[in-house]
Amino acid sequence: GAGVSQSPSNKVTEKGKDVELRCDPISGHTALYWYRQSLGQGLEFLIYFQGNSAPDKSGLPSDRFSAERTGGSVSTLTIQRTQQEDSAVYLCASSFRDWAGNEQFFGPGTRLTVL
Amino acid sequence: AQSVTQLDSHVSVSEGTPVLLRCNYSSSYSPSLFWYVQHPNKGLQLLLKYTSAATLVKGINGFEAEFKKSETSFHLTKPSAHMSDAAEYFCVVSEMNTGFQKLVFGTGTRLLVSP
């Protein structure tokens, strides 16, 4: 069956522009997570959705970052006024239920480069 | 907060020799632990997980890991390396005290396999 998909796979943008990154989780997975992988910070958690709700947004690096999820499925991560330090690979993961020990299935990521 | 320490940033082995990737964890309660693998330009794939059942966990592609509470370790091993094992490996602990399963990643170990 289909795994987690993300689009675009690569995005190059200019400093100050807004970008939208999309995640399509595995069908039926209620939990959705965003992570960021960068050279300086390694892999870090950004935000979690249960259904369409994000109970904890404390992982988002700044108020330029926002995310939403609609219909309990697709999620969009938006970065406004991008900065060079936002350059990273943004990973999305989904899980059938948010239970301790449940596997999170990862997408291939979106590589964001801010010039 | 939970954390993991991967003791080696790089490990080099010859094809056919054993692999040992070391991981120590810090957790205030019985943790869920994972090993994920990331091949170049690919997404993260789960190798195996520990969730308080058997302490010796077998995963895919001949990998296994042993949970040792007294040593707070969760080292990954494989009896005989294959060229296709060359990748980056992440030890991960599950943090639940935020009310949801947040994965906390180690800094990664790059495995190099020579012919």
Side-chain angles (χ1 to χ4, degrees):
Chain A
V4 177
S5 60
Q6 293 185 245
S7 60
S9 56
N10 280 283
K11 177 70 176 180
V12 180
T13 190
E14 294 179 349
K15 179 181 171 181
K17 295 286 180 68
D18 297 352
V19 296
E20 281 190 354
L21 312 179
R22 177 188 170 106
C23 171
D24 282 90
I26 294 172
S27 178
H29 281 194
T30 61
L32 186 147
Y33 313 81
W34 283 96
Y35 295 84
R36 179 169 73 172
Q37 185 173 24
S38 58
L39 281 177
Q41 301 297 322
L43 265 154
E44 54 181 341
F45 166 82
L46 296 179
I47 191 169
Y48 153 70
F49 285 92
Q50 178 57 44
N52 293 333
S53 299
D56 188 330
K57 301 180 181 180
S58 61
L60 295 176
S62 77
D63 58 8
R64 296 185 295 103
F65 287 71
S66 63
E68 66 174 12
R69 188 179 184 194
T70 56
S73 180
V74 173
S75 177
T76 303
L77 178 69
T78 301
I79 309 173
Q80 295 179 310
R81 305 180 303 281
T82 51
Q83 303 294 311
Q84 288 183 330
E85 63 262 29
D86 300 334
S87 296
V89 177
Y90 290 82
L91 296 167
C92 175
S94 71
S95 181
F96 179 64
R97 291 287 187 270
D98 179 56
W99 290 340
N102 266 12
E103 178 180 356
Q104 293 183 14
F105 294 81
F106 283 81
T110 293
R111 181 175 298 277
L112 175 65
T113 303
V114 182
L115 301 177
Chain B
Q2 277 59 250
S3 66
V4 289
T5 301
Q6 291 186 246
L7 298 161
D8 306 292
S9 60
H10 292 80
V11 169
S12 294
V13 300
S14 299
E15 190 175 22
T17 64
V19 176
L20 169 64
L21 305 183
R22 298 182 295 165
C23 173
N24 286 99
Y25 69 91
S26 171
S27 176
S28 55
Y29 51 83
S30 184
S32 295
L33 291 160
F34 308 79
W35 277 97
Y36 276 84
V37 62
Q38 187 175 38
H39 287 92
N41 300 315
K42 296 286 181 66
L44 289 157
Q45 180 185 21
L46 180 69
L47 277 179
L48 49 80
K49 67 178 181 179
Y50 166 77
T51 56
S52 75
T55 56
L56 182 62
V57 181
K58 295 188 184 296
I60 61 172
N61 300 333
F63 284 94
E64 62 181 40
E66 186 170 8
F67 175 74
K68 292 187 176 180
K69 186 174 182 178
S70 60
E71 299 176 9
T72 61
S73 69
F74 190 57
H75 301 334
L76 182 70
T77 60
K78 182 174 181 178
S80 177
H82 192 273
M83 295 296 291
S84 61
D85 294 329
E88 184 132 25
Y89 292 79
F90 293 93
C91 183
V92 183
V93 66
S94 168
E95 182 172 296
M96 290 297 294
N97 58 3
T98 46
F100 60 90
Q101 181 174 236
K102 179 170 77 173
L103 297 185
V104 178
F105 287 78
T107 50
T109 298
R110 184 166 298 278
L111 177 64
L112 306 170
V113 183
S114 56

